Amino acid sequence: GAGVSQSPSNKVTEKGKDVELRCDPISGHTALYWYRQSLGQGLEFLIYFQGNSAPDKSGLPSDRFSAERTGGSVSTLTIQRTQQEDSAVYLCASGNQGTGELFFGEGSRLTVL
Amino acid sequence: KQEVTQIPAALSVPEGENLVLNCSFTDSAIYNLQWFRQDPGKGLTSLLLIQSSQREQTSGRLNASLDKSSGRSTLYIAASQPGDSATYLCAVKNDYKLSFGAGTTVTVRA
């Protein structure tokens, strides 16, 4: 596609359930990032992929959070046993290797009741 | 650790006035600096990318400058329009990692 695509755009879940968020980066972009933006807050780094490897997972808040990337393309962020404090917008970005420019998706808004 | 600060946090101007948004960062060993726009409930839209070797970039009514040695970037928006109302974010890249400022929320009054 022309841009970074994220799904679902909105997800409402009950506390304790697992959720999966998907990111389709721009074709050919080897770098992929996940960020989290809580209401009225700045962007919080979660994880960075280069190809299928994740050299920096330092931003994942707890072991309930995990992410993978397959085929150097699609990435999935999984949150297990969701908590109310996980409610936020989860943003994915992919990076142009040549210029280093990042392009963001529209985000997945997660609400945990 | 890179710290990015954006001043002011909010700005309200009448239509037609020029906008000046400031971004400062603590570690000058940057790879590039990128300005984004974020509309409410939306993702980030890339506006301008300045490589560390560049002093400025221009796109239409937007011009961004970079002074790496003093750790500053300024985004100028000429002849503001109500459609320019949004939050503007500055992001600094060191190696692979982007550090974001908290943003400047701009309101352009018709």
Side-chain angles (χ1 to χ4, degrees), chain B residues 14-54:
Chain B
E15 183 176 3
E17 196 163 296
N18 296 331
L19 291 164
V20 181
L21 309 180
N22 297 297
C23 171
S24 62
F25 48 94
T26 54
D27 181 357
S28 63
I30 67 171
Y31 181 74
N32 63 35
L33 184 146
Q34 198 166 350
W35 282 94
F36 294 91
R37 167 187 173 135
Q38 186 173 33
D39 293 289
K42 300 289 187 182
L44 278 66
T45 300
S46 179
L47 296 174
L48 288 169
L49 172 74
I50 311 177
Q51 301 294 348
S52 63
S53 58
Q54 296 176 317

Side-chain angles (χ1 to χ4, degrees), chain A residues 33 37 56 99-102, chain B residues 34 38 42 46 51 93 96:
Chain A
Y33 301 76
Q37 189 173 37
D56 191 345
T99 65
E101 187 171 8
L102 287 202
Chain B
Q34 198 166 350
Q38 186 173 33
K42 300 289 187 182
S46 179
Q51 301 294 348
K93 195 172 192 182
Y96 63 86

Side-chain angles (χ1 to χ4, degrees), chain B residues 11-20 80-81 106-110:
Chain B
L11 189 57
S12 178
V13 300
E15 183 176 3
E17 196 163 296
N18 296 331
L19 291 164
V20 181
S80 61
Q81 303 168 358
V106 171
T107 303
V108 180
R109 309 185 303 272

